[in-house]
Amino acid sequence: MSLPINGLHHVTSIASNAQQNNDFFTKTLGLRRVKKTVNFDSPETYHLYYGDEKGTPGSVMTYFPFRGIGKAVLGTGEVGETHFSVPKGSLGYWQERLTAQSVSGLSESTRFGEKRLSFTGPDGDGFALIETDNDNREGWTGAGVSNAEALRGFQGVNLRLRDGDATAELLRFMGYDKLESDGSVTRYGVSGGNGADFVDIDVQPGLARGQQGAGSVHHLAFSVKDRAAQLEVRKALMDTGYQVTPVIDRDYFWAIYFRTPGGVLFEVATAEPGFDRDEDLANLGTALKLPTQHEALRARIEDFLPPITD
């Protein structure tokens, strides 16, 4: 059976400070803020989305900046590193840029024959820029980043697990093929995907389980074309024994969620209707957009949320 999953849709993480988070992704990494809204379940908290011009599935990094939240304890059972694709030959530019902006944890390495530059975000979250051939996606050229260096979107993610077998079986069921291994890391990829095609499983049996907080990934979302494809995936997962949520309207996509054997929360999200459903393309991410159920509380929410200076 081949499920209609096209690669990653978005990665959602936790931050401690909205302004700091906004500055890092828009001014340091040069991404576009494509939506400024709130957490559906905690409307006193922003939900910030960053990506390419349109917020194309496979390019979108999102954050819940919970004020006062403690720092994450990194470990297993979570996304250990999020990987962005950058053009071949651009790592020197990024090394210089990130060094100049005092970004922490800078380290160059090679894995699976790919040159990568690892670094940490403001809350200690793990990232890597990976030089990728033949990635024809258009990057967002913000904050002085030219098209020759701009992030193209995700290349993939690294899952840090104590035991990777059950999660590997799940990925194969979802349409991912085992590609190659490098030390403790095994790569799985989806054929004909959206560019955000890889999930790496890093087996670390000696590490304790991570504890969520600022700097950890909340969930990992996979992309499907539309609601019909999403329902097909949902039925297949439930028929296999997974406990999957009903379809939830997230305004810019429909979502279902389930917990994986390794502990990571997976989401399957649609490519429709997109981030321009309530803002024109030129003004994405500028106004505070609220879910319908919270619109009546707009005055209170706006008064409570800390301002974000662009």
Side-chain angles (χ1 to χ4, degrees):
M1 159 172 220
S2 179
L3 297 182
I5 289 173
N6 305 319
L8 301 183
H9 187 285
H10 64 270
V11 179
T12 294
S13 294
I14 300 171
S16 60
N17 182 282
Q19 183 69 61
Q20 176 180 255
N21 182 258
N22 180 83
D23 290 350
F24 183 76
F25 283 94
T26 63
K27 297 178 182 179
T28 299
L29 295 185
L31 296 178
R32 186 182 194 187
R33 193 180 69 217
V34 295
K35 196 61 60 180
K36 181 170 65 172
T37 183
V38 296
N39 185 307
F40 271 60
D41 303 314
S42 182
E44 72 280 2
T45 300
Y46 280 116
H47 193 176
L48 304 174
Y49 293 76
Y50 311 98
D52 65 7
E53 181 185 21
K54 300 178 180 179
T56 307
S59 77
V60 183
M61 191 79 206
T62 98
Y63 271 87
F64 302 134
F66 290 108
R67 285 187 285 185
I69 192 168
K71 189 174 177 61
V73 177
L74 304 182
T76 58
E78 61 184 1
V79 175
E81 198 172 60
T82 301
H83 303 153
F84 290 98
S85 169
V86 295
K88 200 79 169 177
S90 66
L91 281 192
Y93 166 86
W94 283 107
Q95 173 81 53
E96 183 176 338
R97 180 183 177 94
L98 298 184
T99 298
Q101 299 196 35
S102 300
V103 171
S104 300
L106 288 166
S107 174
E108 291 192 59
S109 62
T110 301
R111 180 177 291 161
F112 300 123
E114 302 163 335
K115 292 177 64 177
R116 61 178 57 210
L117 177 64
S118 298
F119 59 98
T120 55
D123 289 298
D125 16 7
F127 298 103
L129 304 180
I130 299 180
E131 288 192 345
T132 307
D133 278 329
N134 304 316
D135 188 340
N136 296 318
R137 293 177 290 174
E138 287 291 326
W140 175 251
T141 53
V145 179
S146 76
N147 187 59
E149 293 92 22
L151 277 62
R152 271 26 187 185
F154 298 126
Q155 190 253 20
V157 293
N158 175 292
L159 305 184
R160 194 167 48 225
L161 308 175
R162 296 193 73 176
D163 184 333
D165 290 347
T167 299
E169 182 178 351
L170 168 62
L171 288 173
R172 288 192 292 268
F173 179 74
M174 292 169 63
Y176 283 74
D177 296 317
K178 181 179 178 180
L179 301 179
E180 54 185 323
S181 295
D182 187 339
S184 63
V185 181
T186 301
R187 169 160 289 181
Y188 295 82
V190 63
S191 177
N194 59 14
D197 298 338
F198 300 118
V199 176
D200 298 343
I201 294 181
D202 184 6
V203 177
Q204 297 290 337
L207 285 183
R209 188 175 181 84
Q211 298 178 32
Q212 274 196 352
S216 61
V217 171
H218 185 273
H219 63 267
L220 174 64
F222 294 81
S223 180
V224 291
K225 178 181 178 182
D226 52 29
R227 296 186 71 185
Q230 184 181 64
L231 290 175
E232 180 183 341
V233 172
R234 183 175 187 269
K235 182 179 186 302
L237 289 168
M238 293 183 69
D239 287 348
T240 309
Y242 284 94
Q243 300 297 311
V244 187
T245 68
V247 176
I248 302 172
D249 183 356
R250 294 303 193 195
D251 283 352
Y252 311 108
F253 47 87
W254 282 273
I256 57 175
Y257 303 87
F258 64 102
R259 186 70 64 177
T260 67
V264 183
L265 181 62
F266 277 8
E267 174 184 349
V268 179
T270 63
E272 56 180 10
F275 292 99
D276 60 353
R277 68 174 293 273
D278 57 2
E279 287 180 297
D280 62 79
L281 186 60
N283 294 301
L284 286 185
T286 56
L288 177 65
K289 295 298 180 179
L290 298 180
T292 301
Q293 64 267 37
H294 297 316
E295 189 60 53
L297 300 173
R298 175 173 286 275
R300 291 174 59 187
I301 290 171
E302 288 182 338
D303 185 60
F304 185 83
L305 289 172
I308 297 177
T309 302
D310 295 327

